[in-house]
Every structure is written in C-alpha cells, then in structure tokens.
C-alpha cells in the first residue's frame, strides 16, 4: 500500500497528540548538579542502586560544575549495550547495582555531557567524504591494480 498504509497510524498519532500528557523531564538540566543528573538516570531509568566515580571523573566534574555553560548540559550515558549496568556480563535488567563513571566529557556539537561507564571502546567519527572515494582501479597495468589503499 506504500504511504497509504500509514494513514491509519498517522491518524492515531494525531489523535494521541490531542490528548493531555503528564510527561515530565527526569531532571532539571539547568538546576540539578551533574552528579544528580547521573544518579537519577542510574536509579530511576536503569534500576541501579548507586553511582561511584573514578578520580579522573571526580576531577573533571568539579571543573565542569564551575562552568555555568557546561554544568547545565543534559547527560548522555555511554555504556555496554548488553546490560543496563556498566558490566556486559550482567545481562538484562538487574536491580540495585552500582555504576562506576570512569570518565566524562563534553560533546559540544551535540550539546550534552557524555558519562563513560565501564570499558567502552570509542571509534573515531566518520569523515565528511568517505575514504572509498580515494579507491580506484589503475587499468594501465595488467592485471589492473587497486590504488588509494594505504
């Protein structure tokens, strides 16, 4: 049916938008401290019991709290995809666990603070022009050579 198949869904969404909502934000990004924001995410969303911080994270948070433009940013939690904890071996949704914030940094372009939990491997961002544009075949050789690979 193509787009016509979504008409009923669209009407349901429009109807839902007209009804009232008791939605409220989990925390007040401008008033709550960085640690309060993280604690609310851990306890009220993930079901955790407590949060601890590495010395590095404590030091960075102290600096960020002193900067009014940074302390008001919302929080993004960077953690394993396998669990609501910072431990990929604790599968599913355990309750009452501790989360350790190892690091925290500003993602200025996105407009939030990223709290790094557990052992996270960060991959570099993608370039504007993907590397495959530099890869080609040189037909002046027999057999042709691939060029543009490092």
């Amino acid at each position: 049916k193509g787009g016509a198949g979504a008409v009923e869904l669209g009407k349901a969404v429009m109807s839902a938008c007209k009804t009232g909502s008791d939605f409220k934000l989990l925390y007040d990004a401008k008033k709550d401290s960085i640690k309060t924001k993280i604690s609310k995410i851990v306890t009220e969303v993930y079901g955790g019991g407590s949060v601890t911080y590495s010395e590095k994270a404590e030091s960075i948070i102290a600096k960020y709290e002193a900067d009014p433009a940074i302390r008001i940013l919302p929080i993004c939690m960077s953690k394993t995809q396998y669990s609501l904890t910072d431990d990929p071996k604790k599968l599913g949704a355990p309750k009452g666990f501790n989360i350790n914030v190892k690091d925290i940094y500003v993602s200025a372009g996105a407009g939030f603070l990223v709290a790094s939990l557990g052992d996270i491997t960060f991959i570099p961002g993608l370039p504007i022009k993907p590397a495959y544009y530099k890869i080609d075949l040189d037909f002046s050789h027999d057999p042709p050579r691939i060029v543009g690979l490092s």
Side-chain angles (χ1 to χ4, degrees):
K1 290 184 178 180
V7 171
E8 189 175 329
L9 172 63
K11 289 178 180 178
V13 169
M14 289 173 60
S15 175
C17 289
K18 292 178 183 175
T19 62
S21 170
D22 61 350
F23 174 81
K24 64 178 182 172
L25 296 172
L26 182 62
Y27 55 77
D28 185 330
K30 292 183 179 178
K31 292 181 181 176
D32 287 346
S33 71
I34 293 168
K35 285 186 174 182
T36 296
K37 296 174 205 177
I38 292 170
S39 178
K40 286 183 178 182
I41 293 169
V42 170
T43 59
E44 297 182 36
V45 177
Y46 296 163
S50 61
V51 183
T52 55
Y53 299 86
S54 70
E55 286 183 32
K56 179 180 181 180
E58 288 277 8
S59 173
I60 294 169
I61 289 171
K63 290 177 189 173
Y64 289 173
E65 284 290 353
D67 186 327
I70 294 176
R71 76 170 308 280
I72 65 168
L73 295 174
I75 304 292
C76 174
M77 305 290 261
S78 174
K79 61 175 202 51
T80 177
Q81 73 267 28
Y82 298 111
S83 173
L84 290 175
T85 74
D86 57 1
D87 182 353
K89 294 178 184 162
K90 292 182 181 175
L91 302 178
K95 298 290 181 205
F97 52 87
N98 178 68
I99 278 191
N100 185 354
V101 177
K102 291 178 71 175
D103 195 4
I104 187 164
Y105 63 91
V106 177
S107 183
F112 50 73
L113 296 174
V114 179
S116 179
L117 318 176
D119 293 323
I120 300 294
T121 302
F122 293 99
I123 59 173
L126 298 174
I128 293 172
K129 188 171 184 178
Y132 69 81
Y133 281 105
K134 297 177 185 176
I135 300 170
D136 204 353
L137 291 174
D138 180 357
F139 290 101
S140 66
H141 299 329
D142 189 20
R145 290 186 185 171
I146 298 174
V147 295
L149 295 177
S150 298

